[in-house]
Amino acid sequence: MIDLRSDTVTRPTAAMLDAMFRAPVGDDVYEEDPTVRALEHEAASRFGLEAGLFCPSGTMTNQIAIKGHTEPLSEVVCEQTSHIYLWEVGGIAFHSGASVALLPGDRGRLTAAQVAAAIRSENVHYPTTSLISLENTHNRGGGSCYDWAALTDIAELAKRQGIPLHLDGARVFNALVATGQQSREYGRLFDTISVCLSKGLGTPVGSVLLGSQAFIKKCKRIRKVMGGGWRQAGYLAAAGLYALEHHVERLADDHRRARQLAEALQAAPYVDFVLPAETNLVIFRLRDGLTEEAFLTHLTNNGIKASAFGPQMVRFVTHLDVDDEAIGRVLAALQTVPQ
């Protein structure tokens, strides 16, 4: 099967597995795993931040960061289709007891003016604005990317207001490769960054939360109470180190293949519209008369998996396990969709 459901379905490459098997390890609860330490240091230094915290998932790194930045009776400003709000099981309310100010974005992207208007004034009736969170790339926006000016404007606003700025960077390396932005510059803008290693970078599991030394020390305690104490986690961290070294630049291939799919879909008579394919996500709406269930069944019959993304909506995700030959098979299947 050609699996286009997500970039989380990848298997470790032979070279990545070899790096994992050879990793020196120790008990990370005692802070004695050298490979975990190496991963945390490498990830933090790439983004110009002081420290990192290795965790099982991006949901955990996001929720730890939110807990660390907020308190009950406070509020998080984010876009209304943000992963931290839609796809993390109400974790902001459950873990942090915080409210959420939801803003409508342009394919998930906010402006500084929108954020400024959402910041609460001092009033006993209001929660306190305690965190601004952005998502780059934005999943529901079809892998959309912020331009540098927009990021800078929001970061400058956050600093003027004394409000921390968090980045859900589940696919931040896709954004960096697509835009040419520099990872180290992100440390000037964001107080904390969640970096996922198991999406486009192809590791089996893991995300890293990045921030200052003091904040990461605080977050380690939060990770513990969430059940996130590791033991010999270096075997997993080694996959992350390998991916940072070998799997970042190749994301451009995923983006190229996504554009091929998007172009074919734009020309297909059964497609209503396709969101711009800036990175590795292709989200499109089928015309009335062809349901997403019927379309996905056709794909399955041709050895292809994809995801329904709402009524009449479908998502394709390219990744390192989908090569040019596989894309060719998908393109052929798109030519034979029953009308």
Side-chain angles (χ1 to χ4, degrees), residues 16 40 47 56 58 66-67 70 95 101 105 160 167 178-179 196 204 209 211 218 221 237 246 252 311 321 332:
M16 181 181 285
E40 292 171 339
F47 284 87
I66 293 167
K67 177 71 174 174
T70 65
H95 295 294
R160 287 197 304 271
L167 176 65
T179 63
C196 185
L209 176 62
K218 177 182 180 181
R221 184 180 293 265
H246 299 281
D321 282 0

Side-chain angles (χ1 to χ4, degrees), residues 50-51 211-219:
E50 293 177 349
S212 69
Q213 289 280 4
F215 189 80
I216 293 301
K217 182 178 179 180
K218 177 182 180 181
C219 287

